[in-house]
Amino acid sequence: MDSKALYQISYGLYVVGTKIDGKDAGCVVDAFIQSTSSPVPTVILCSIQANQTNTAIKQTGEFTISVLTKKTDPFVIANFGFQSGRDADKWANVPAKRMGDLPILENAAAWLRCKVTDFKELTTHTVFFCDVTDAMVGEGEVLTYGEYQKNWKGRAQEAFKAFRESGKAPAPAPRWVCSICGYVYDGTIPFEELPEDWKCPICGHPKSVFVKE
Ligand SMILES: Cc1cc2nc3c(=O)[nH]c(=O)nc-3n(C[C@H](O)[C@H](O)[C@H](O)COP(=O)(O)O)c2cc1C
């Protein structure tokens, strides 16, 4: 058997949000899929038994999913994927808001709220079977696990090293807004690096009319 064949299965990347003993918890996952779409959309999450998030989901019976995008700060992946909530208040380190009583990332391609209906223990993982009880669409192109492995893993590792050395989470990236028409710059090139003759794609005014928020 050539187990590299399994690398050809594609996944997204997600941040799970849940609670344990009244405190926010969660981690990065890729093993998350939709299983059926009607009468109720259902999803499946595969979660490592040793993780705090696993215990938290069993306690709460519910979790959120924030779908990561190509604009997600690599630190977000490091924060939720390289350390345990047993050692850090992960949700305090990133821009976050709430879906009901559970935490979600401020920015994501979409958000789901999932209610566990059943679960099965495997050797190292728990498979959670869930109903989707709420869903919202956000913005951005989704980040795939393959792309993470190719281009993002190194950036996430660097961001985590800087975080460990400074003890401080990076400030969220500023928004650049056109003061004439309100367009919010959302390109992949950092705004500061755009050429001086770049113009607002909506109203055509020059780069200099943009303000940092
Ligand atoms: C890119 C990436 C993908 C991951 N995928 C999963 C996954 O599908 N399921 C899982 O349980 N853990 C996954 N993890 C591992 C957890 O995010 C990681 O062990 C985390 O530190 C657990 O934190 P916790 O103890 O606060 O739950 C992944 C980590 C990374 C970096």
Side-chain angles (χ1 to χ4, degrees):
M1 182 170 91
D2 186 351
S3 56
K4 284 202 205 77
L6 295 164
Y7 297 168
Q8 302 303 325
I9 298 173
S10 55
Y11 307 86
L13 264 192
Y14 313 92
V15 166
V16 170
T18 183
K19 274 181 172 289
I20 187 158
D21 301 331
K23 283 188 302 185
D24 292 340
C27 73
V28 164
V29 298
D30 59 277
F32 176 77
I33 58 158
Q34 178 171 2
S35 36
T36 65
S37 56
S38 66
V40 177
T42 60
V43 289
I44 293 173
L45 169 68
C46 209
S47 159
I48 298 169
Q49 284 158 356
N51 285 348
Q52 187 193 50
T53 303
N54 186 291
T55 313
I57 293 173
K58 285 173 182 160
Q59 189 185 94
T60 310
E62 282 187 285
F63 60 90
T64 59
I65 288 285
S66 299
V67 181
L68 303 191
T69 76
K70 291 184 180 164
K71 300 215 75 188
T72 301
D73 188 331
F75 171 72
V76 170
I77 301 173
N79 179 56
F80 283 101
F82 297 173
Q83 61 183 346
S84 175
R86 295 188 184 99
D87 309 316
D89 182 0
K90 299 186 198 183
W91 284 99
N93 291 336
V94 296
K97 54 188 182 182
R98 306 201 83 79
M99 193 176 202
D101 56 336
L102 298 180
I104 52 176
L105 294 179
E106 177 90 38
N107 300 301
W111 300 271
L112 305 176
R113 187 172 172 122
C114 309
K115 189 174 174 56
V116 178
T117 54
D118 202 355
F119 67 94
K120 182 172 173 56
E121 300 294 356
L122 307 180
T123 325
T124 53
H125 287 62
T126 307
V127 185
F128 290 106
F129 301 90
C130 315
D131 286 348
V132 176
T133 55
D134 197 4
M136 299 186 301
V137 175
E139 273 178 19
E141 201 182 327
V142 300
L143 176 65
T144 64
Y145 183 64
E147 212 160 334
Y148 163 77
Q149 287 292 352
K150 220 165 40 182
N151 300 319
W152 287 64
K153 197 174 179 173
R155 290 163 66 198
Q157 285 165 342
E158 271 169 36
F160 197 58
K161 191 165 165 260
F163 169 65
R164 276 281 152 89
E165 281 166 8
S166 69
K168 276 195 222 133
R175 283 167 19 119
W176 285 93
V177 183
C178 177
S179 60
I180 306 297
C181 70
Y183 165 77
V184 180
Y185 176 69
D186 68 349
T188 45
I189 300 170
F191 184 82
E192 292 87 343
E193 290 171 25
L194 290 171
E196 284 315 310
D197 60 356
W198 181 86
K199 292 195 170 39
C200 174
I202 303 298
C203 68
H205 279 82
K207 188 181 170 187
S208 56
V209 306
F210 276 69
V211 288
K212 205 195 245 187
E213 285 187 352

